[in-house]
């Protein structure tokens, strides 16, 4: 059995959906279980429309709902020649769009938009898309069955990025999906969404369908998890930044997790976790080029004689620095920093401390930086008043550039080569950090310099 996930572009129009049907049909002997995303652009549109609704821009809200209807209708008209089946799908879509319209109306009336409401709104994209995919496959000799993941994927109530309850979810998934697979059916599971014990809709975070696929694949003990997307595999850099980026045939789970955490959007960082626990290989494949072998992500120590595998960058970050003579040799400073930030739920992306202990810098998402600053100022109020800690400073618009590769471990000169390449490109390095695993070296640069730094490192390690 294999679990396969099709991303937004793969289900993004009639032509792509035709390719998906061909792929699924050719793989029927491997007993596929499918997970799919919303059509490309739909989740963004749903969330943007929610903002319009709360501002009571009713006309534009209606126009967007009409655009959604039209987008799906176009697919139904092209892909579902069978009149009865087409009418059935269009009817179900109409019902969903009415429900969505009611939600927007509620948001407008209350002039209130919570993360909880946003999750309920965002969930429509996957439901519309998977109903459509199921109907298309059913007419093409694939015995597809629509499955709403909210009935199976149990999460906590942290809306926007809910945590999955693995034991309950595993039980649900096995009970619902294994009998279907055994009788030869192909489940089509909505990615990205789940629900709480009380039945409230949650999402697993943006781009979370990859994670759903891995949760499903692990629960069912699939042989492999295949992520179908719009590039040939995981590449040495984001192909939109580095034109000559090349596909990596194999990487390890740890490398994949590290790359995706630092911005390689091709796979969601959480995807690796369920797969590692069950040693299930993940393959990244291109729907537009299915004969390409893609990238294999597994535990196998890779034979590629490449030390550095990939260079990524992640934008929209802020650097918070805490400095002062009173920090030297005082135990517990880092603990206080982290607990203050944890209390206000700010995720620290990177930390760097000079060996003098005089200065600690942290990188946090830009959207959280004011919250982080306030929490740290409060935590160190006394020290700031006594001047043992200088005021806490903030630098906005920075990026982390990360160089990733397991082969870097114990190799000398990698950091030197990285910094020289970046300096030669005329880019100023604001801070640096190396994880103790030696799996990555991360640099903080100003955002406008990030692409230049990525390109320079890519060239220096001959990744093209
Ligand atoms: P999907 O809708 O299939 O989930 P995404 O847009 O989320 O697809 O991810 C695929 C995109 O990730 C690619 O089109 C590419 O532009 C981008 N990307 C960023 N970094 C990398 C990388 N290192 N390797 C491959 N693709 C990358
Ligand atoms: N549709 C969701 C998003 O755009 C989930 C996904 O595509 O993986 O974030
Ligand atoms: Mg994605």
């Amino acid at each position: 059995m294999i679990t396969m996930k099709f991303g937004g572009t793969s289900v993004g129009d009639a032509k792509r959906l035709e390719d998906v049907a061909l792929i699924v049909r050719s793989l029927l002997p491997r007993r596929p279980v499918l997970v799919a995303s919303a059509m490309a652009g739909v989740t963004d549109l749903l969330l943007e429309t929610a903002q319009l609704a709360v501002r009571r821009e009713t006309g534009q809200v209606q126009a967007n709902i009409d655009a959604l209807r039209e987008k799906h209708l176009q697919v139904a008209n092209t892909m579902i020649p069978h009149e009865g089946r087409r009418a059935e799908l269009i009817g179900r879509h109409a019902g969903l769009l009415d429900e969505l319209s009611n939600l927007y109306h509620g948001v407008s009336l209350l002039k209130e938009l919570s993360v909880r409401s946003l999750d309920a709104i965002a969930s429509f994209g996957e439901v519309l898309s998977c109903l459509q995919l199921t109907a298309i496959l059913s007419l093409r000799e694939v015995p597809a069955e629509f499955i709403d993941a909210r009935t199976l994927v149990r999460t906590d109530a942290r809306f926007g990025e809910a945590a999955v309850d693995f034991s309950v979810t595993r039980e649900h998934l096995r009970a619902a999906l294994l009998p279907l697979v055994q009788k030869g059916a192909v489940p089509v599971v909505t990615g990205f969404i789940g629900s709480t014990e009380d039945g409230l809709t949650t999402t697993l975070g943006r781009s979370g369908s990859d994670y759903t696929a891995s949760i499903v694949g692990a629960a069912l003990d699939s042989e492999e998890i295949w992520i179908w997307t719009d590039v040939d595999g995981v590449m040495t850099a984001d192909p939109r930044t580095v034109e000559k980026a090349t596909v990596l045939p194999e990487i390890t789970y740890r490398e994949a997790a590290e790359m995706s955490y630092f911005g390689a959007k091709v796979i969601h960082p959480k995807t690796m976790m369920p797969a590692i626990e069950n040693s299930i290989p993940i393959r990244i494949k291109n729907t537009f080029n299915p004969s390409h072998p893609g990238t294999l992500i597994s535990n196998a120590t890779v034979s590629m004689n490449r030390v550095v595998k990939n260079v990524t960058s992640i934008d929209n970050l802020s650097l918070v620095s805490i400095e002062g003579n009173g920090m030297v040799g005082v135990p517990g400073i880092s603990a206080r920093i982290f607990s203050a930030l944890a209390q206000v739920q700010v995720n620290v992306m990177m930390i760097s401390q000079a060996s003098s202990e005089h200065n600690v810098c942290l990188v946090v998402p830009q959207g959280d930086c004011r919250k982080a600053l306030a929490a740290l100022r409060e935590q160190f109020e006394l020290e700031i008043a006594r001047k043992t800690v200088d005021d806490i400073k903030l630098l906005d618009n920075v990026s982390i550039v990360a160089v990733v590769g397991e082969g870097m471990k114990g190799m000398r000169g990698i950091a030197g080569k990285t910094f020289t390449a970046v300096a030669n490109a005329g880019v100023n390095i604001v801070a640096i950090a190396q994880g103790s695993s030696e799996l990555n070296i991360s640099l903080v640069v100003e955002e406008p310099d990030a692409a230049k730094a990525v390109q320079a490192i890519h060239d220096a390690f001959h990744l093209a």
Side-chain angles (χ1 to χ4, degrees):
M1 190 200 306
I2 54 177
T3 298
M4 302 204 289
K5 174 255 175 177
F6 291 94
T9 11
S10 303
V11 297
D13 61 34
K15 167 79 187 71
R16 295 278 76 86
L17 283 158
E18 195 67 78
D19 292 343
V20 170
L22 285 174
I23 290 170
V24 174
R25 209 164 53 194
S26 71
L27 288 164
L28 279 180
R30 298 201 63 179
R31 300 195 295 164
V33 173
L34 311 185
V35 172
S37 298
M39 293 174 79
V42 165
T43 310
D44 286 339
L45 186 64
L46 288 166
L47 297 174
E48 281 161 28
T49 308
Q51 301 299 338
L52 295 170
V54 80
R55 294 201 300 267
R56 296 194 176 162
E57 295 181 30
T58 324
Q60 195 51 49
V61 170
Q62 191 52 49
N64 287 3
I65 296 174
D66 291 343
L68 272 175
R69 187 189 316 277
E70 190 50 40
K71 194 177 175 78
H72 291 86
L73 207 54
Q74 227 168 27
V75 171
N77 287 336
T78 327
M79 299 294 290
I80 312 196
H82 186 288
E83 214 169 296
R85 300 275 184 90
R86 187 171 67 238
E88 190 189 326
L89 177 68
I90 292 173
R92 285 188 84 170
H93 277 179
L96 287 164
L97 291 169
D98 282 349
E99 235 180 89
L100 176 65
S101 183
N102 286 338
L103 281 182
Y104 285 140
H105 187 58
V107 167
S108 287
L109 285 178
L110 293 168
K111 276 198 149 206
E112 182 191 62
L113 181 58
S114 61
V115 199
R116 173 172 154 178
S117 307
L118 282 170
D119 274 1
I121 288 165
S123 71
F124 281 80
E126 270 63 19
V127 178
L128 289 164
S129 164
C130 289
L131 279 171
Q132 172 172 287
L133 178 59
T134 306
I136 291 169
L137 291 172
S138 305
L139 281 175
R140 285 165 180 75
E141 299 156 46
V142 177
E145 294 222 18
F146 170 77
I147 304 285
D148 187 331
R150 286 174 295 188
T151 59
L152 307 175
V153 176
R154 168 71 57 79
T155 72
D156 67 6
R158 260 184 284 160
F159 298 98
E161 188 154 0
V164 174
D165 179 333
F166 286 99
S167 60
V168 173
T169 300
R170 182 182 160 89
E171 237 173 78
H172 285 175
L173 286 167
R174 292 183 74 85
L177 303 184
L178 287 178
L180 287 178
V181 177
Q182 261 142 25
K183 71 166 202 203
V186 176
V188 179
V189 184
T190 55
F192 181 50
I193 59 178
S195 73
T196 64
E197 201 175 353
D198 302 335
L200 298 170
T201 297
T202 53
T203 63
L204 308 184
R206 291 306 306 270
S207 300
S209 295
D210 298 333
Y211 187 32
T212 305
S214 165
I215 292 164
V216 170
L220 303 182
D221 298 319
S222 288
E223 284 163 65
E224 297 196 353
I225 296 160
W226 292 15
I227 308 285
W228 290 90
T229 182
D230 59 357
V231 282
D232 283 335
V234 178
M235 304 175 87
T236 50
D238 186 337
R240 290 164 302 185
T241 310
V242 177
E243 205 190 316
K244 290 193 175 136
T246 52
V247 177
L248 294 159
E250 291 176 61
I251 51 175
T252 64
Y253 292 123
R254 277 157 39 104
E255 286 172 334
E258 206 79 12
M259 290 170 190
S260 55
Y261 183 73
F262 287 112
K265 189 189 167 229
V266 63
I267 186 160
H268 189 282
K270 286 185 182 165
T271 314
M272 270 53 74
M273 199 224 315
I276 294 175
E277 277 171 19
N278 300 275
S279 293
I280 304 174
I282 302 173
R283 255 177 230 286
I284 311 293
K285 299 270 295 173
N286 191 351
T287 320
F288 297 70
N289 186 16
S291 60
H292 192 287
T295 299
L296 176 66
I297 305 173
S298 73
N299 253 334
T301 359
V302 183
S303 52
M304 274 176 75
N305 53 355
R306 219 180 240 175
V307 173
V308 167
K309 294 273 177 57
N310 164 291
V311 45
T312 54
S313 68
I314 180 161
D315 296 339
N316 286 322
L317 304 173
S318 297
L319 183 88
V320 183
S321 55
I322 308 160
E323 220 172 272
N325 290 324
M327 290 163 59
V328 181
V330 179
I333 295 274
S334 302
R336 285 174 60 197
I337 293 174
F338 284 117
S339 74
L341 294 177
Q343 263 170 26
V344 289
Q345 303 216 341
V346 172
N347 179 27
V348 179
M349 306 274 309
M350 180 184 134
I351 171 159
S352 152
Q353 180 174 32
S355 56
S356 69
E357 296 185 28
H358 179 257
N359 167 304
V360 177
C361 350
L362 315 158
V363 179
V364 299
Q366 192 146 294
D368 287 341
C369 71
R370 305 283 149 201
K371 211 161 59 169
L373 193 63
L376 290 169
R377 281 190 176 146
E378 193 186 323
Q379 175 66 237
F380 291 100
E381 200 178 357
L382 216 62
E383 285 85 350
I384 293 170
R386 288 183 187 146
K387 300 206 176 345
T388 51
V389 167
D390 301 343
D391 192 21
I392 297 159
K393 293 188 193 76
L394 200 63
L395 179 65
D396 281 339
N397 298 318
V398 299
S399 299
I400 295 179
V401 172
V403 185
V404 178
E406 296 233 45
M408 287 165 27
K409 204 177 195 133
M411 283 279 285
R412 285 161 57 188
I414 305 291
K417 195 166 169 179
T418 304
F419 303 144
T420 308
V422 174
N424 286 345
V427 172
N428 178 40
I429 300 173
V430 181
I432 55 180
Q434 177 169 35
S436 58
S437 62
E438 293 189 47
L439 186 63
N440 99 54
I441 298 171
S442 322
L443 334 167
V444 179
V445 299
E446 286 176 38
E447 201 171 293
D449 287 338
K452 224 193 306 179
V454 167
Q455 182 72 59
I457 298 169
H458 199 268
D459 290 345
F461 288 99
H462 306 291
L463 297 181

